[in-house]
Amino acid sequence: MKVIWTPGALRDRESIWHYIFEENRNAAARMDNIFRKAADRLAINPRLGRLGVISGTREIIPHKNYKIIYEITEDAVWILTLVHAARQWPPLD
């Protein structure tokens, strides 16, 4: 199954990379690799994550500080957002 990062999830990923990169280039690369590997696992086993807080979503924790929120469609896994564990999810309106 293919994995598609939504534009918002890609922005989240890039923002995390830049934030970590400022302190440690190698750590930024390692963290991004953790995110990529989690997405690769979802391509093989989309139901790997637990049921999400928002109906129709699932969540996987690739690292103790981050959560990937995604949904499964007939032919793809859509990564919706990548959030830090300390952030409110779902966000309050």
Side-chain angles (χ1 to χ4, degrees):
M1 185 169 283
K2 65 183 169 183
V3 174
I4 302 167
W5 290 77
T6 63
L10 286 173
R11 280 190 303 275
D12 295 337
R13 188 174 172 183
E14 185 177 329
S15 176
I16 292 165
W17 187 87
H18 283 292
Y19 178 78
I20 297 171
F21 184 83
E22 288 181 19
E23 294 295 321
N24 186 325
R25 293 176 183 201
N26 292 330
R30 283 193 306 272
M31 187 60 69
D32 196 64
N33 193 43
I34 288 170
F35 298 150
R36 184 190 54 77
K37 285 182 177 182
D40 290 348
R41 287 192 308 273
L42 291 175
I44 296 165
N45 185 0
R47 298 198 184 283
L48 185 63
R50 66 181 181 216
L51 291 176
V53 175
I54 296 174
S55 180
T57 66
R58 298 186 78 84
E59 302 176 2
I60 188 170
I61 301 171
H63 181 274
K64 66 180 182 172
N65 292 328
Y66 293 97
K67 205 183 312 191
I68 293 175
I69 312 301
Y70 67 98
E71 67 182 1
I72 305 167
T73 61
E74 210 172 283
D75 61 347
V77 172
W78 289 83
I79 297 181
L80 306 173
T81 190
L82 179 58
V83 295
H84 192 279
R87 283 179 43 200
Q88 169 70 36
W89 181 256
L92 300 174
D93 290 332

